[in-house]
Amino acid sequence: MVALDQENRSNKSITRLAGLFYLAIIALGIWSEMAVREMLIAPDSGPQTLANIMASGGLFSLSLAADIGMILSDIAVGILLYLLFRQVAPRVALAAMILRLTQAIVLAANLLFQVAAMVLLRGEHFTEAFGAEKLAWAVQALLELQGQGYDLGLIFFGINCLLTAWLILRSGIAPRLVGLGIAASGLVYLSGSGFTLLTGDQPIVITFAYLIPLIAELAFAIWLLVGAGPKSAARRN
């Protein structure tokens, strides 16, 4: 009985910590991608992108720091969810963690494109060597490659979402609607990233469908933080 109580308290701590890190992922990711990069990167206009970055007052560099924090939080969530779900289905939980960590590795490597862009911008000798216009287009190319890298990472995360949804539904750690929302999120990520990587674009309906992952993942994070009971992840079959 004492051991069970200790396990329940441990599970409760893990769920709350996972929820906290999940909220950090959402906040840092939205700020870095939507509030900074989408505002600074002008589609098909290297000179405008360069002008926006130079006038950003350091926001471009802060977005890199935010991405690093997001990736570290993602690693933490992957490990914490594995600790919860391994009690439900060890192999599926392990596969989900590996996929989430693979996404983190891809995104971390992908940051090198932004770092390279920052190196070009900081070195006056690069401007002298390439000229301002060619330098602007080089920066534009690196940042567009970074965008493609995010879509590549989301392929692994999309599959992770499908496995995580199955674990949520099987364990009862969160309401069934949350599990179904995470499953739908996985399909949105796979569809959106697949279209972008294969065609360079995606249907407008998929663009709007990204509201589903935002709502579903936010709901899951909040439920982990405040709603999940200490015994919900300890259910064994």
Side-chain angles (χ1 to χ4, degrees), residues 117-135:
M118 293 167 65
V119 169
L120 289 178
L121 292 172
R122 290 171 179 168
E124 293 182 2
H125 52 291
F126 289 118
T127 305
E128 296 173 359
F130 294 111
E133 185 173 356
K134 288 184 178 179
L135 180 68

Side-chain angles (χ1 to χ4, degrees), residues 11 15 84-85 87-88 171-173 229-236:
N11 285 333
T15 56
L84 287 173
F85 289 134
Q87 304 171 37
V88 178
S171 67
I173 192 175
K231 297 181 181 181
S232 54
R235 188 177 300 170
R236 292 177 172 81

Side-chain angles (χ1 to χ4, degrees), residues 4-237:
L4 182 60
D5 288 340
Q6 290 177 340
E7 183 180 6
N8 287 335
R9 285 196 296 270
S10 176
N11 285 333
K12 188 172 184 177
S13 297
I14 291 172
T15 56
R16 287 180 173 175
L17 196 57
L20 184 62
F21 277 117
Y22 217 137
L23 288 176
I25 293 170
I26 296 170
L28 292 171
I30 288 177
W31 183 83
S32 179
E33 183 63 24
M34 299 182 67
V36 179
R37 276 193 295 270
E38 282 196 10
M39 298 297 293
L40 297 180
I41 301 174
D44 303 322
S45 180
Q48 184 60 54
T49 295
L50 180 60
N52 292 342
I53 293 173
M54 298 304 291
S56 68
L59 283 178
F60 189 59
S61 298
L62 286 177
S63 72
L64 178 66
D67 277 336
I68 292 172
M70 179 191 70
I71 292 168
L72 290 174
S73 297
D74 219 346
I75 292 171
V77 168
I79 295 171
L80 290 167
L81 290 183
Y82 168 72
L83 293 177
L84 287 173
F85 289 134
R86 66 178 177 176
Q87 304 171 37
V88 178
R91 293 179 181 177
V92 178
L94 179 61
M97 181 182 69
I98 290 172
L99 285 163
R100 189 158 199 144
L101 294 182
T102 301
Q103 179 214 210
I105 292 170
V106 171
L107 294 186
N110 187 53
L111 290 182
L112 287 173
F113 290 117
Q114 184 169 346
V115 171
M118 293 167 65
V119 169
L120 289 178
L121 292 172
R122 290 171 179 168
E124 293 182 2
H125 52 291
F126 289 118
T127 305
E128 296 173 359
F130 294 111
E133 185 173 356
K134 288 184 178 179
L135 180 68
W137 284 109
V139 169
Q140 182 82 7
L142 287 168
L143 296 180
E144 289 187 7
L145 282 171
Q146 184 183 20
Q148 294 288 309
Y150 271 96
D151 282 301
L152 179 60
L154 288 176
I155 293 292
F156 299 99
F157 185 58
I159 303 173
N160 163 272
C161 285
L162 296 177
L163 295 180
T164 301
W166 184 87
L167 290 165
I168 292 171
L169 295 172
R170 188 176 180 90
S171 67
I173 192 175
R176 182 176 178 82
L177 185 60
V178 172
L180 294 175
I182 296 297
S185 299
L187 296 177
V188 171
Y189 285 132
L190 289 171
S191 300
S193 293
F195 270 105
T196 301
L197 291 171
L198 295 176
T199 69
D201 199 2
Q202 60 183 230
I204 189 67
V205 65
I206 294 181
T207 302
F208 284 111
Y210 274 96
L211 285 173
I212 295 174
L214 176 60
I215 295 170
E217 290 189 77
L218 184 59
F220 185 38
I222 293 173
W223 187 265
L224 287 171
L225 187 62
V226 301
K231 297 181 181 181
S232 54
R235 188 177 300 170
R236 292 177 172 81
N237 295 287

